[in-house]
Amino acid sequence: MNYFPNIQKINYEGPKSANPYAFKYYNPDEKIGGKRMEDYLRFAVAYWHTFTEDLSDPFGAGTAVRPWDKFSGMDLAKARVEAAFEFFEKLGVPYFCFHDVDIAPEGNTLRETNQNLDTIVSMIKDYMKDSKTKLLWNTANNFTHPRFIHGAASSNNADVFAYAAAKVKKGLEIGKELGGENYVFWGGREGYETLLNTDMKFELDNLGRFFQMAVDYAREIDFDGQFLIEPKPKEPTTHQYDFDVASGYAFLQNYNLQDYFKFNIEANHATLAGHTFEHELHYARVNNILGSVDANQGHPLLGWDTDEFPTDLYSTTLAMYEIIKNGGLGRGGLNFDAKVRRGSFETEDLFHAHIAGMDSFAVGLKVAQKMLDDQVLENIISDRYQSYTKGIGLEIAEGKTDLGQLEDHALDLTDIKHQSGKLERIKATINQYLLTAYSDR
Ligand code: XUL
Ligand code: CO
């Protein structure tokens, strides 16, 4: 069956193309920094936003018009698989991601749910044989169903802890079956609403035990996907335990799990935490725990997770700067955890949205690489810290000083010289790089 009959394969046509169904900047075979763009960016389509999402919001019903809407139950799940692989093929995307509930309907028992999953997973596996699109990661949805009302691994109810653990067990088996490169934990309900009825220490200990069991089971079944924690500070719970990368890293270290996990960093989650996207990427990079990225953007005027497709070139440039400095994302990728707006309800909008996102990150990659080649920020930063390259500064940096020695240095200091941070000049330079990266065409 042909779900997108009016759309042919999306090709690169260059910045002057007026064809809405062409890439203007994403050129998979173009080499940037010695690597093919496709291999650098490792884009993934998020099953939930592209094939399951109906675009409903808290005030209104879904608006999405999708050619698979006429089906229901397992027929719908199968139609979505067919549509998904046609979409991947036409977009030429190397990866996809899903939650268990995205690909198959839940049954009355977990046993039934797992049977549904088995049917769809074997169908996906068949489709993957003839497709270049691979599984970037899968995950268990331990947040939507009402059973997770008080959390999953952090629930006060032991039956729910067991249910969530069983779903992760199945998820790891599916990840292994489909050759998933990573396995994600986003703790949707792993947090709390009020301390008035919460034993935080016990919930955190349980969360630690839960992750340890997942690590042990992956080892038992020989699943070698990279484990990723996806931090988010709030929504749906008021206080999420994995608030941001720094708090997630502290948690992992507390429970001796730091060797088994990296982080899946989502732009909109970063801004919800009061950080920039690049802050989270940078923090993870310098601690060697940058695993993968959920590529989207929030709305600057709205304080929740709007999951918009990334189109802000300034942000994609600074994000790609971090990713290049990280030496790429390894087994990770750029997953479009992004949904079209409620008003963009036509099927074709799914293509426009992904083209926009892929082009935006391609621009980011190219501009960031040029800036790195010219050592723009590196020179600014090394100049800014030059006081640590000689004299007392060098001794501090080499760990050779103590408070007494520093007091000797400081007691009679009267003339401390500063240099300007030059932020405006730096931003003007970045604008120049952004505007000239394609001027040679
Ligand atoms: C929710 C979110 C999830 C995770 C996977 O904000 O980002 O879709 O990416 O569970
Ligand atoms: Co996400």
Side-chain angles (χ1 to χ4, degrees):
M1 187 147 179
N2 199 343
Y3 288 90
F4 312 103
N6 302 325
I7 293 162
Q8 314 304 316
K9 173 112 177 56
I10 312 294
N11 292 313
Y12 170 73
E13 291 186 5
K16 295 206 173 109
S17 170
N19 176 4
Y21 295 106
F23 296 117
K24 319 300 183 298
Y25 303 98
Y26 175 61
N27 183 7
D29 291 320
E30 184 177 335
K31 288 225 168 124
I32 305 275
K35 243 195 218 175
R36 288 176 67 247
M37 259 197 193
E38 182 173 36
D39 301 334
Y40 227 135
L41 297 166
R42 296 166 62 86
F43 289 125
V45 171
Y47 211 95
W48 54 103
H49 284 311
T50 301
F51 308 109
T52 317
E53 173 74 52
D54 69 357
L55 302 181
S56 53
D57 71 12
F59 304 96
T63 59
V65 177
R66 303 287 181 250
W68 47 87
D69 281 347
K70 54 185 179 235
F71 299 106
S72 64
M74 283 297 277
D75 289 339
L76 174 58
K78 289 176 187 170
R80 282 177 172 144
V81 175
E82 290 169 9
F85 279 87
E86 184 184 335
F87 187 84
F88 302 155
E89 171 91 33
K90 290 188 166 167
L91 196 63
V93 76
Y95 289 100
F96 71 114
C97 300
F98 62 83
H99 301 84
D100 44 8
V101 303
D102 305 330
I103 60 166
E106 289 196 75
N108 291 322
T109 60
L110 186 58
R111 193 180 301 281
E112 273 179 36
T113 302
N114 287 350
Q115 281 159 3
N116 292 345
L117 279 168
D118 288 342
T119 304
I120 300 299
V121 166
S122 86
M123 184 176 171
I124 290 178
K125 197 173 176 185
D126 273 352
Y127 270 81
M128 285 175 80
K129 282 185 195 140
D130 299 320
S131 167
K132 76 163 195 179
T133 307
K134 293 182 288 206
L135 181 62
L136 186 66
W137 51 261
N138 63 307
T139 184
N141 177 323
N142 281 340
F143 45 90
T144 298
H145 193 280
R147 80 176 67 85
F148 301 115
I149 183 169
H150 296 309
S154 63
S155 173
N156 57 308
N157 187 324
D159 284 341
V160 177
F161 184 102
Y163 209 108
K167 290 190 76 193
V168 167
K169 176 175 180 287
K170 184 71 180 168
L172 295 172
E173 290 160 6
I174 291 171
K176 176 166 165 86
E177 179 76 9
L178 297 179
E181 303 232 10
N182 306 271
Y183 186 85
V184 162
F185 295 86
W186 171 57
R189 304 265 168 204
E190 311 296 25
Y192 68 92
E193 192 178 350
T194 170
L195 280 179
L196 300 178
N197 61 12
T198 299
D199 185 341
M200 188 200 281
K201 177 76 169 77
F202 182 73
E203 291 194 0
L204 286 169
D205 288 349
N206 263 356
L207 211 47
R209 285 186 268 269
F210 190 85
F211 286 133
Q212 185 61 57
M213 283 187 257
V215 167
D216 293 343
Y217 190 65
R219 192 178 293 142
E220 189 182 321
I221 63 169
D222 229 3
F223 171 59
D224 68 352
Q226 171 67 54
F227 276 15
L228 300 170
I229 289 197
E230 182 177 325
K232 183 174 183 180
K234 53 190 165 191
E235 198 200 14
T237 72
T238 316
H239 306 270
Q240 298 273 145
Y241 288 134
D242 300 320
F243 186 96
D244 59 2
V245 178
S247 64
Y249 192 37
F251 168 86
L252 290 175
Q253 288 172 314
N254 254 346
Y255 291 92
N256 217 10
L257 291 161
Q258 69 277 10
D259 294 342
Y260 308 107
F261 288 81
K262 289 190 173 184
F263 285 82
N264 182 38
I265 295 169
E266 177 164 327
N268 205 164
H269 295 180
T271 51
L272 279 177
H275 300 308
T276 58
F277 185 19
E278 58 273 18
H279 165 94
E280 288 290 81
L281 294 168
H282 190 107
Y283 190 94
R285 171 171 72 77
V286 299
N287 286 291
N288 207 18
I289 45 175
L290 173 52
S292 199
V293 168
D294 269 6
N296 64 12
Q297 66 187 30
H299 193 293
L301 302 181
L302 301 173
W304 61 91
D305 198 11
T306 57
D307 281 345
E308 299 182 15
F309 271 85
T311 52
D312 177 343
L313 301 181
Y314 212 93
S315 170
T316 59
T317 298
L318 296 183
M320 284 316 301
Y321 175 82
E322 293 299 333
I323 291 168
I324 297 170
K325 289 203 76 142
N326 196 57
L329 287 169
R331 310 191 69 157
L334 296 172
N335 168 47
F336 290 112
D337 190 355
K339 62 181 171 198
V340 289
R341 298 303 86 195
R342 193 163 179 269
S344 307
F345 56 87
E346 293 175 355
T347 308
E348 286 73 19
D349 289 310
L350 296 173
F351 282 93
H352 297 313
H354 283 86
I355 291 168
M358 290 161 84
D359 271 342
S360 298
F361 268 93
V363 172
L365 170 61
K366 190 155 179 153
V367 176
Q369 182 66 54
K370 269 200 151 185
M371 285 176 55
L372 261 171
D373 289 345
D374 295 349
Q375 296 283 289
V376 177
L377 300 182
E378 285 60 30
N379 289 339
I380 291 167
I381 289 169
S382 70
D383 184 49
R384 189 156 179 264
Y385 290 86
Q386 57 171 293
S387 71
Y388 287 92
T389 60
K390 53 187 180 298
I392 193 75
L394 185 59
E395 286 187 40
I396 294 171
E398 290 180 343
K400 289 181 182 158
T401 43
D402 57 30
L403 290 185
Q405 204 187 331
L406 292 170
E407 184 189 49
D408 288 345
H409 182 84
L411 276 177
D412 300 311
L413 260 186
T414 49
D415 187 20
I416 296 181
K417 288 205 175 60
H418 280 295
Q419 56 189 128
S420 164
K422 293 200 164 48
L423 180 57
E424 298 76 7
R425 199 183 127 192
I426 298 168
K427 286 189 171 180
T429 305
I430 296 174
N431 283 349
Q432 250 181 314
Y433 272 82
L434 262 164
L435 290 168
T436 55
Y438 288 86
S439 59
D440 52 334
R441 280 165 197 261

